[in-house]
Each structure stands twice: as C-alpha cells, then as structure tokens.
Amino acid sequence: MKRLPEDFIFGGATAAYQAEGATHEDGKGRVAWDTFLEENYWYTAEPASDFYHKYPLDLQLAQEFGVNGIRISIAWSRIFPTGFGEVNQKGVDFYHKLFAECHKRHVEPFVTLHHFDTPESLHSKGDFLNRENIDHFVDYAAFCFKEFSEVNYWTTFNEIGPIGDGQYLVGKFPPGIQYDFAKLFQSHHNMMVAHARAVKLFKDSGYSGEIGVVHALPTKYPYNPADPADVRAAELEDIIHNKFILDATYLGDYSKKTIEGVLHILSVNGGKLDLQDEDFAVLKAAKDLNDFLGINYYMSDWMRAFDGETEITHNATGDKGGSKYQIKGVGRREFDVDIPRTDWDWLIYPQGLYDQIMRIKQDYPNYKKIYITENGLGYKDEFVNGTVYDDARIDYVKQHLSAVSDAIHDGANVKGYFIWSLMDVFSWSNGYEKRYGLFYVDFETQERYPKKSAYWYRDLAQRRVIE
C-alpha cells in the first residue's frame, strides 16, 4: 500500500483543438491542422468532444468524480484569429466563462498557451522556424497573462519535442516534412527561446501565480546495456527527444555532450543550426525561473545500433506491429521486447516514469517541482451496458502512480498527476478510435458516460492510497 500526499492534485487533461470542436465558430481563425486533416486524414477535429459547449457538464463531472485540477489550453486563434493584431472578443469571453466555471466547481485550471495549434497564417510562414513568430507568441502570451488574471498556473508550450518530431521527422503533423533534423532541432531551440522570453516577461511583470513548461519525456534504454553501440544509440535518441530541450530549460545552454550528439546527427543527416548569442542570453535569464516542469509520459523505447537508411512508419490505426523507426547514425527502436505494448506499439513501462523523474532531480537540481501533466492508456474501448469496463486502464494508471509514489519517497518533489484525458477526445494522428478518457463520449450524440476507471479514480482521489 502506498499513500500520496494530502496536497497532491488528481487532475484530468484536455487540449483546445482535441476537445473544443467549434473550429470555425465565434470568430476562431484557422490552424494548420484544419487544412492538414482535410488533405491527409479520414477525420477532422469537428466536433471533437464539443467542450466549447459542453464544458459546464464536463466540469460538473470532474467535481463529482474527485478531479480537482484540469489542464486546459487556450486556442491562440480564438484570441488572435491570424496570430496577432485584432483581438476576437468572443474568444476572450469564452475563456473567462470557462475559467469561472472551473473555479465554481473547485477544479483548478492549469492553462497552456500553445498545444500544437499555431494559427495557420503564422504556421504557413514557417511556424517557429520563423523567428518573427517567436515575437508573435510572446505578444500573445503577454495579452493572456494580463487579460486572464484569474489563472494561477500557466504553461507556455505543450510538448516542444513531439512538435518538432511530428512536423519534421515523422511527418505526421503539418507541414508533413520527414527526416529533416536541422529543422527539428531549430524548431526545438526557437520554441525554447519563445518559452524563456514568455517566462521572463511573466516574472518581470510581477504577475501572481506560477509558470512552467510541459515536456514529453519518453525514456530511452539500450537494447543491450553491455553493447557500447546500443548505449550510444540510446544516448543519441535521448538527445533528440529529451536532453536538448531539458538542457535549454534548466541549463540555459547545451552541454558539451548534448551539442556533440546534435552535431553528429547533423553530420550524418545534413543541415546546420542558427544558434545566436542573444538566444543563450534569454535562455540563461529564464533557466531558474520555471516554477514547475510538467512531464508527459506514455512509453519507453529500447534502442539498438543501426547503420542503414532512415525509415519511420507511424502506426495511426492501432494495428499492433505496424510501427517502424530507424534513423541513420542514431539507431533503431526494437518493438519486440519482453514489455507489454498497446495496439499502437507504445511500450508500457512504468519504471521509465520513475527513471525520468529521478533523472530530472539528479541532472537538473534547479527544478522546483514536477507535475505529471499527461499519462494514460489509449485503448479501443468497448461500450457495454452504458459504460466501459476498462480494467487495463485502471491497472496502467495504478502502476504509473505507484512509480510516482516511489519517486516522491526517494526525494523528488512531484505535486500532482493529470490523467490523459478527462473525457474521450480527438487524437491528432489517430482520429476517434483511440480513447483515453475517464468519461466515454458518444461522438454522435455527445453524451458522457463514466467508465469504470472514473469510479476507481474518484476512490483514489478520496483515499490517496494506491493498493
């Protein structure tokens, strides 16, 4: 039996584009995903979970089921339809009403400024590869900090790493470019500069509340720990997905080992970076100002040395065994290991969450506190007799919260857990079959039904005991 702290937050996570729907309603501007989905996928984000209209019901359910924190993102293009310039007052009014409902229901909103949804007018001009968009983001952040003074917890970006990965490596996000490591690392870097500038502005302006960033941190292990080549493959993969952005966050620079790894990857795959002195001045100024780090954790990967050509196949349909991931000069992910995996080939390894938390504590001691801002099981839920008997999800969450408890016991300052997701939502490159929610959503009727996991989570939040 393990007990979680009395002040531990039991949260649920959402994101604007994945939950709100109303993609063209009340003056909202287009985002790149609108066009990308229309041209490349068999679904759209309309109506998603219709959170734009259903948020009072979802927050009522959250309160009834013991969820006392919610991750929400503001859709940038609801506030500034073209990314800058004239403000859309209807969008501003919506978020004021949403945050008021959160507080009415005693569900603390943790608000993200950017969750994969750059306005299309800015995305089409290079997204964060275009340094002008750093300025536009900081201006948008400044507006939100001042306007939404009722918000106590701000996150600048959600998952800078997967944004670069999706846009420029795997190609599953707009603009759908593959295997361009220079763009990937430049995107990571420029977004971290934007983060640092927003954090510095928030602190210099004297706003109350806290601010941080959410990073997706999949843990990387060598397939054969005794093989130096496999160890090297895991280290290089870790640099791509974790260490580069963590160094920028907490060191304000890139360690010698990190930059050597980046230069090796670029030497093999081509390209160069534009890293400017003023960038590092900004990063250094913000490195000790982050009030919290959000960790999104779903999987670990086992890496084997690999010398062939780069080839990545993304499993978008949930056909187990459909994934392939090998990078020239880096390594190859081995999926056929003695570890459970989801239908989408995500390896389920709670120890990886513990190891990632303790790595933050050890390598970046200037961190202040951690929230697990996303963790959950994507599943092809079977709706039976008005509910879902999702024992596999309960077991998944229980194991990961046990790892969190162990990390707290071993000295890490972890203050909360947000299950992805509060209710079933639209999934970026998987559509509507991949469900994560505590509450089942009938996407035809938009009715909500508590799953077995919702009742289990309520009991956990009340007792704070994992058993």
Side-chain angles (χ1 to χ4, degrees):
M1 184 184 299
K2 299 176 182 179
R3 183 174 294 277
L4 292 162
E6 287 300 315
D7 61 347
F8 195 81
I9 289 178
F10 290 90
T14 70
Y17 196 72
Q18 294 180 262
E20 285 179 1
T23 53
H24 310 296
E25 194 168 325
D26 289 340
K28 184 181 187 295
R30 287 182 68 85
V31 300
W33 276 99
D34 293 331
T35 301
F36 193 70
L37 291 172
E38 290 165 6
E39 294 179 350
N40 295 281
Y41 286 97
W42 59 95
Y43 49 79
T44 70
E46 189 66 52
S49 312
D50 197 27
F51 187 65
Y52 191 74
H53 301 105
K54 294 282 190 179
Y55 71 87
L57 172 59
D58 289 320
L59 288 164
Q60 178 185 339
L61 286 169
Q63 182 182 32
E64 290 176 357
F65 282 81
V67 176
N68 62 352
I70 183 172
R71 284 194 66 209
I72 293 169
S73 72
I74 292 175
W76 185 348
S77 65
R78 279 205 198 280
I79 307 298
F80 294 101
T82 61
F84 63 95
E86 187 175 350
V87 173
N88 176 33
Q89 190 59 43
K90 286 185 178 180
V92 173
D93 293 343
F94 166 70
Y95 288 110
H96 277 304
K97 289 185 290 186
L98 173 55
F99 301 146
E101 189 70 21
C102 287
H103 290 126
K104 172 185 171 183
R105 293 293 179 181
H106 308 290
V107 181
E108 187 68 43
F110 285 64
V111 180
T112 304
L113 290 167
H114 183 281
H115 194 124
F116 296 3
D117 56 353
T118 304
E120 187 170 54
S121 55
L122 302 184
H123 197 286
S124 64
K125 296 177 182 177
D127 202 13
F128 281 92
L129 296 177
N130 182 347
R131 286 178 176 267
E132 288 184 7
N133 288 339
I134 299 176
D135 296 332
H136 292 315
F137 174 79
V138 175
D139 291 344
Y140 155 61
F143 174 87
C144 289
F145 296 153
K146 184 176 181 180
E147 176 69 29
F148 301 112
S149 58
E150 65 268 42
V151 172
N152 298 311
Y153 296 90
W154 289 102
T155 295
T156 53
F157 289 99
N158 177 78
E159 298 191 347
I160 287 171
I163 291 172
D165 174 271
Q167 293 185 168
Y168 307 118
L169 178 58
V170 180
K172 63 181 178 180
F173 287 9
I177 295 169
Q178 285 191 305
Y179 315 152
D180 192 326
F181 284 92
K183 285 185 171 65
L184 178 145
F185 284 117
Q186 193 69 56
S187 173
H188 287 3
H189 174 80
N190 289 1
M191 292 182 81
M192 282 307 310
V193 171
H195 158 77
R197 284 182 54 187
V199 168
K200 188 72 165 56
L201 183 152
F202 183 86
K203 294 297 186 180
D204 287 350
S205 300
Y207 291 115
S208 61
E210 299 184 3
I211 190 167
V213 66
V214 167
H215 290 323
L217 301 177
T219 312
K220 310 295 180 177
Y221 299 99
Y223 184 79
N224 179 2
D227 184 344
D230 286 5
V231 171
R232 174 67 167 162
E235 290 174 349
L236 290 169
E237 175 81 346
D238 183 62
I239 287 170
I240 293 170
H241 296 280
N242 299 324
K243 196 161 178 55
F244 188 79
I245 54 177
L246 285 171
D247 280 3
T249 306
Y250 286 112
L251 302 183
D253 204 342
Y254 304 113
S255 69
K256 182 180 178 181
K257 190 171 185 178
T258 296
I259 206 66
E260 284 177 349
V262 171
L263 293 175
H264 163 76
I265 293 167
L266 294 178
S267 71
V268 173
N269 294 280
K272 59 181 181 179
L273 301 182
D274 174 25
L275 309 180
Q276 300 179 9
D277 289 343
E278 52 265 39
D279 298 343
F280 292 104
V282 169
L283 291 173
K284 283 186 170 66
K287 71 181 181 68
D288 297 318
L289 301 180
N290 297 284
D291 294 304
F292 61 87
L293 171 67
I295 295 178
N296 291 357
Y297 177 84
Y298 292 96
M299 75 198 94
S300 292
D301 296 300
W302 275 258
M303 299 299 298
R304 178 174 270 178
F306 174 76
D307 294 322
E309 292 302 310
T310 298
E311 184 180 354
I312 300 174
T313 302
H314 172 63
N315 181 347
T317 59
D319 297 322
K320 189 177 288 189
S323 301
K324 189 172 187 177
Y325 183 100
Q326 57 193 41
I327 297 176
K328 184 178 181 180
V330 177
R332 179 179 68 206
R333 291 181 189 170
E334 292 290 345
F335 296 98
D336 191 15
V337 294
D338 189 22
I339 301 289
R341 58 174 160 162
T342 73
D343 289 337
W344 284 265
D345 296 319
W346 292 16
L347 295 169
I348 301 171
Y349 193 63
Q351 179 67 32
L353 176 55
Y354 173 89
D355 290 346
Q356 199 62 255
I357 293 169
M358 300 311 290
R359 174 264 223 14
I360 299 298
K361 180 178 182 295
Q362 176 180 318
D363 292 357
Y364 305 101
N366 57 328
Y367 92 99
K368 293 185 176 72
K369 61 181 174 180
I370 290 169
Y371 294 98
I372 308 306
T373 38
E374 287 183 28
N375 176 249
L377 180 64
Y379 210 67
K380 297 173 184 176
D381 286 344
E382 186 177 354
F383 188 66
V384 179
N385 297 326
T387 190
V388 175
Y389 297 94
D390 53 345
D391 293 277
R393 180 171 292 114
I394 293 169
D395 185 60
Y396 179 101
V397 175
K398 185 186 298 183
Q399 289 186 49
H400 284 82
L401 274 170
S402 180
V404 171
S405 176
D406 290 343
I408 294 171
H409 180 269
D410 292 340
N413 188 26
V414 185
K415 304 301 287 184
Y417 174 95
F418 293 76
I419 190 170
W420 183 269
S421 50
L422 180 63
M423 65 299 215
D424 290 337
V425 296
F426 155 79
S427 187
W428 302 98
S429 57
N430 301 284
Y432 291 92
E433 273 195 59
K434 192 178 189 182
R435 293 174 178 267
Y436 285 89
L438 291 174
F439 304 104
Y440 183 91
V441 176
D442 181 329
F443 290 110
E444 295 297 321
T445 66
Q446 290 298 328
E447 291 295 316
R448 273 69 164 147
Y449 303 88
K451 301 178 188 177
K452 184 177 180 180
S453 58
Y455 293 98
W456 173 82
Y457 200 64
R458 180 175 67 183
D459 181 67
L460 177 70
Q462 290 172 345
R463 300 177 62 231
R464 301 179 181 271
V465 172
I466 307 165
E467 55 185 1

